[in-house]
C-alpha cells in the first residue's frame, strides 16, 4: 500500500464517502480567507482615498489581486509538488507579514500619507499571494468527496464565508480604534486571521507530496490545446471570468463612489456586509438548483441577477438603498452563476490534468479580476465620477456573457465524446 492509499484510509469519512472533517476545514479556510480579503477591500480602498485621493485608491487592492492571479498560476502545481499543508501554511504566514506591514505603516507613519500608502501597497503583495490559496481551496475540497457530489462540496465551501461579513468588515469597523492610529487595528485583525489560517491548513488531510520520480509531469494527460477544443470547457472558463471580474470591479469601486457621494465609512461597510451575505448565503442551495434546472440555466439565472443588481444602481447614486439593493443582487447572482460555472469546469478534465488546467483557469479568471479591481477607482474618475456611466460599462460587459449563455442553450453545447 503506497503513502497516498494510507493517507486515504486514515482520513475519516462521513456520508457516502464524504470526508466531512476536511470539507468543513476547507470551508473554514474560505471563510477566514474571504474575511481577510474583505478587510482589504472595505478598509484599504477607503483609507487609500483619504491618503492619496480617488484615482490611486484601488492600486493596493489591484496589486493584491494581481499577485493573487500570479499565485493562481503556480499554487496548484506547487501543491502537487510539495503538498497542500506546506504551500498553504507558507502563503498564509506571508499574508500575516503583509498585514503587519499595513499595520506598521499606519501606526508609525499615519501622519506621512505617502509612506503610509506605500506600506498599504507593499503589504498587499504577500496577502494577494495567499488569496490564491483561498481561491484554490474550492478545488481542493473536491478531493474529499465522490465526483458526483463535487458541486455540493463547492457550494458548501463557498457558503462557509457567510460569516465573513461579520468576521471581516464588521469587526474591522470596531478594531480600527484598537490603537491611537485609526485603522491600524483593522490590519492587526487581518494578521490574526492569517495566523489562524495557518493552523487550519495544517489540520487538513491533504494528500502527501509524491516522491520526485513519481510526480505527474506538466505534460501528463491531454495537451491544453486539446482540452480547449471542448466548448463546455471554454464556456465555463469564460463565464467564471465574466461573472467574477464584473462582480469584483463593481464591488471594489463601490466604497470609492459611496465616499464620493457623501456616505460614511460605517455605511460603506454595511453595504459590503449585505453584499457578502448575498454572495455566500445562496451557495448552500446552489447545488439543488443545479440538480433541478441544469448548470447552464443556473449560470443564466446568476447573470440576470447581476444585471438586475447593476441596473438597480440607476435609481440614484446618492440613494443609500440603491447601493444596498444593487450589491445584494450582484452578490446573489455571483453565488449562483459562479458556482454553476465552476461545477461545469471541474467535470471537464482528469485528475492528472488538474494542476495545469486549474492553474491556467485561475490565472485567466483572477488576472481579469485584478484588472477590473486595480482600475476601479481610476475608471470611476475617468468617467467623470459618474456612477451611472461606470455601471453602464459593466452592463455592456455582462451582455457578452448573456450572449454566450444564450448560444450555449440554443446550440445545446456538450463535451466531445
Amino acid at each position: 500500500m503506497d503513502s497516498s492509499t494510507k493517507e486515504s484510509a486514515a482520513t475519516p469519512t462521513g456520508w457516502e464517502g464524504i470526508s466531512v472533517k476536511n470539507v468543513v476545514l476547507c470551508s473554514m479556510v474560505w471563510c477566514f480567507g474571504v474575511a481577510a480579503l474583505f478587510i482589504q477591500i472595505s478598509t484599504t480602498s477607503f483609507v487609500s482615498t483619504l491618503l492619496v485621493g480617488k484615482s490611486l485608491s484601488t492600486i493596493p487592492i489591484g496589486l493584491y489581486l494581481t499577485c493573487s492571479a500570479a499565485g493562481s498560476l503556480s499554487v496548484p502545481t506547487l501543491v502537487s509538488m510539495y503538498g497542500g499543508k506546506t504551500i498553504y501554511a507558507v502563503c498564509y504566514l506571508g499574508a500575516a507579514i503583509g498585514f503587519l506591514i499595513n499595520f506598521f505603516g499606519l501606526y508609525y507613519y499615519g501622519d506621512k500619507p505617502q509612506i503610509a500608502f506605500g506600506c498599504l501597497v507593499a503589504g498587499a503583495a504577500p496577502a494577494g499571494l495567499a488569496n490564491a490559496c483561498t481561491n484554490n481551496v474550492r478545488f481542493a475540497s473536491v478531493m474529499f468527496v465522490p465526483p458526483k457530489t463535487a458541486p455540493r462540496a463547492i457550494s458548501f465551501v463557498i457558503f462557509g464565508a457567510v460569516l465573513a461579513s461579520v468576521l471581516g468588515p464588521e469587526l474591522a469597523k470596531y478594531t480600527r480604534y484598537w490603537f491611537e492610529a485609526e485603522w491600524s487595528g483593522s490590519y492587526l485583525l487581518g494578521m490574526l486571521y492569517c495566523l489562524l489560517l495557518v493552523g487550519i491548513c495544517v489540520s487538513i488531510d491533504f494528500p502527501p507530496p509524491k516522491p520526485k520520480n513519481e510526480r505527474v509531469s506538466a505534460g501528463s494527460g491531454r495537451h491544453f490545446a486539446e482540452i480547449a477544443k471542448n466548448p463546455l470547457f471554454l464556456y465555463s472558463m469564460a463565464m467564471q471570468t465574466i461573472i467574477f471580474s464584473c462582480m469584483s470591479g463593481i464591488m471594489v469601486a463601490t466604497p470609492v463612489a459611496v465616499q464620493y457621494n457623501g456616505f460614511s465609512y460605517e455605511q460603506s461597510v454595511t453595504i459590503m456586509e449585505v453584499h457578502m451575505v448575498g454572495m455566500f448565503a445562496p451557495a448552500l442551495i446552489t447545488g439543488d438548483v443545479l440538480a433541478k434546472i441544469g448548470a447552464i440555466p443556473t449560470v443564466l439565472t446568476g447573470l440576470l441577477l447581476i444585471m438586475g443588481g447593476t441596473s438597480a444602481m440607476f435609481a440614484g447614486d446618492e440613494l443609500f438603498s440603491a447601493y444596498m439593493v444593487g450589491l445584494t443582487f450582484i452578490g446573489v447572482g455571483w453565488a449562483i452563476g459562479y458556482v454553476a460555472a465552476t461545477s461545469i469546469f471541474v467535470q471537464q478534465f482528469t485528475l492528472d490534468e488538474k494542476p495545469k488546467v486549474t492553474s491556467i483557469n485561475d490565472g485567466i479568471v483572477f488576472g481579469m479580476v485584478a484588472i477590473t479591481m486595480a482600475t476601479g477607482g481610476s475608471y470611476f474618475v475617468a468617467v467623470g465620477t459618474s456612477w451611472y456611466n461606470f455601471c453602464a460599462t459593466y452592463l455592456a460587459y455582462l451582455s457578452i456573457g448573456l450572449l454566450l449563455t444564450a448560444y450555449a442553450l440554443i446550440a445545446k453545447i456538450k463535451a466531445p465524446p
Side-chain angles (χ1 to χ4, degrees):
M1 182 183 292
D2 60 25
S3 58
S4 62
T5 305
K6 291 178 182 177
E7 180 77 11
S8 177
T11 302
T13 58
W15 306 287
E16 300 179 11
I18 298 173
S19 178
V20 178
K21 165 198 164 184
N22 290 305
V23 174
V24 170
L25 288 174
C26 285
S27 187
M28 291 176 66
V29 170
W30 178 262
C31 177
F32 285 101
V34 168
L37 166 63
F38 273 85
I39 288 175
Q40 287 279 357
I41 291 174
S42 63
T43 303
T44 301
S45 296
F46 198 94
V47 175
S48 295
T49 303
L50 296 176
L51 292 173
V52 295
K54 296 185 293 294
S55 60
L56 301 178
S57 61
T58 55
I59 286 180
I61 199 65
L63 176 62
Y64 180 99
L65 267 297
T66 300
C67 291
S68 178
S72 296
L73 291 169
S74 56
V75 164
T77 301
L78 291 172
V79 166
S80 67
M81 293 173 62
Y82 303 107
K85 289 186 180 183
T86 300
I87 299 304
Y88 277 49
V90 168
C91 285
Y92 284 121
L93 186 60
I97 295 172
F99 274 105
L100 186 61
I101 293 172
N102 296 153
F103 168 82
F104 181 85
L106 291 179
Y107 188 82
Y108 290 101
Y109 296 103
D111 58 341
K112 298 178 181 179
Q114 301 300 326
I115 296 178
F117 179 70
C119 289
L120 293 182
V121 174
L129 288 172
N131 190 55
C133 293
T134 301
N135 290 319
N136 182 259
V137 79
R138 71 193 194 280
F139 295 131
S141 67
V142 175
M143 297 188 297
F144 304 116
V145 299
K148 66 178 181 180
T149 57
R152 292 182 183 276
I154 295 171
S155 295
F156 181 80
V157 167
I158 292 178
F159 173 77
V162 72
L163 294 177
S165 61
V166 176
L167 295 172
E170 180 63 23
L171 283 184
K173 189 166 63 178
Y174 300 102
T175 57
R176 66 188 261 206
Y177 299 114
W178 271 0
F179 301 93
E180 184 179 349
E182 189 178 359
W183 313 104
S184 59
S186 299
Y187 292 105
L188 190 63
L189 178 66
M191 184 190 76
L192 294 176
Y193 285 161
C194 291
L195 293 176
L196 178 60
L197 280 163
V198 173
I200 295 172
C201 290
V202 299
S203 301
I204 298 176
D205 298 318
F206 287 104
K210 293 183 179 181
K212 190 173 182 179
N213 61 340
E214 295 181 14
R215 290 176 190 165
V216 175
S217 69
S220 297
R222 295 168 294 170
H223 191 278
F224 183 79
E226 183 180 351
I227 299 172
K229 292 178 181 179
N230 177 356
L232 263 182
F233 175 81
L234 294 177
Y235 171 76
S236 66
M237 286 184 65
M239 297 317 301
Q240 287 178 78
T241 303
I242 292 172
I243 289 171
F244 211 137
S245 61
C246 180
M247 180 278 295
S248 300
I250 296 175
M251 175 183 67
V252 78
T254 296
V256 181
V258 165
Q259 185 183 24
Y260 175 78
N261 286 296
F263 296 100
S264 68
Y265 171 74
E266 286 74 17
Q267 288 173 308
S268 175
V269 168
T270 300
I271 293 169
M272 285 297 104
E273 287 171 350
V274 298
H275 173 61
M276 291 175 70
V277 172
M279 285 178 67
F280 305 120
L284 199 60
I285 64 169
T286 302
D288 295 324
V289 176
L290 280 165
K292 287 185 177 181
I293 68 173
I296 296 178
T298 305
V299 172
L300 176 61
T301 302
L303 273 173
L304 292 175
L305 286 168
I306 296 173
M307 296 183 80
T310 306
S311 299
M313 302 290 192
F314 290 92
D317 59 359
E318 296 182 358
L319 189 62
F320 182 69
S321 59
Y323 294 101
M324 292 282 284
V325 173
L327 267 292
T328 300
F329 273 86
I330 290 171
V332 173
W334 178 88
I336 294 174
Y338 182 66
V339 170
T342 302
S343 69
I344 297 172
F345 175 76
V346 298
Q347 298 174 34
Q348 308 307 316
F349 51 85
T350 66
L351 186 61
D352 287 349
E353 296 162 349
K354 178 182 175 182
K356 64 182 176 186
V357 173
T358 56
S359 294
I360 295 172
N361 176 76
D362 280 6
I364 293 172
V365 172
F366 297 108
M368 191 62 189
V369 168
I371 291 172
T372 57
M373 295 188 83
T375 59
S378 57
Y379 184 65
F380 176 62
V381 173
V383 295
T385 59
S386 169
W387 192 233
Y388 305 121
N389 292 341
F390 184 92
C391 291
T393 304
Y394 277 90
L395 279 175
Y397 181 31
L398 285 163
S399 67
I400 299 173
L402 196 61
L403 290 172
L404 289 175
T405 302
Y407 171 78
L409 287 170
I410 295 170
K412 297 180 180 179
I413 62 171
K414 58 180 68 176

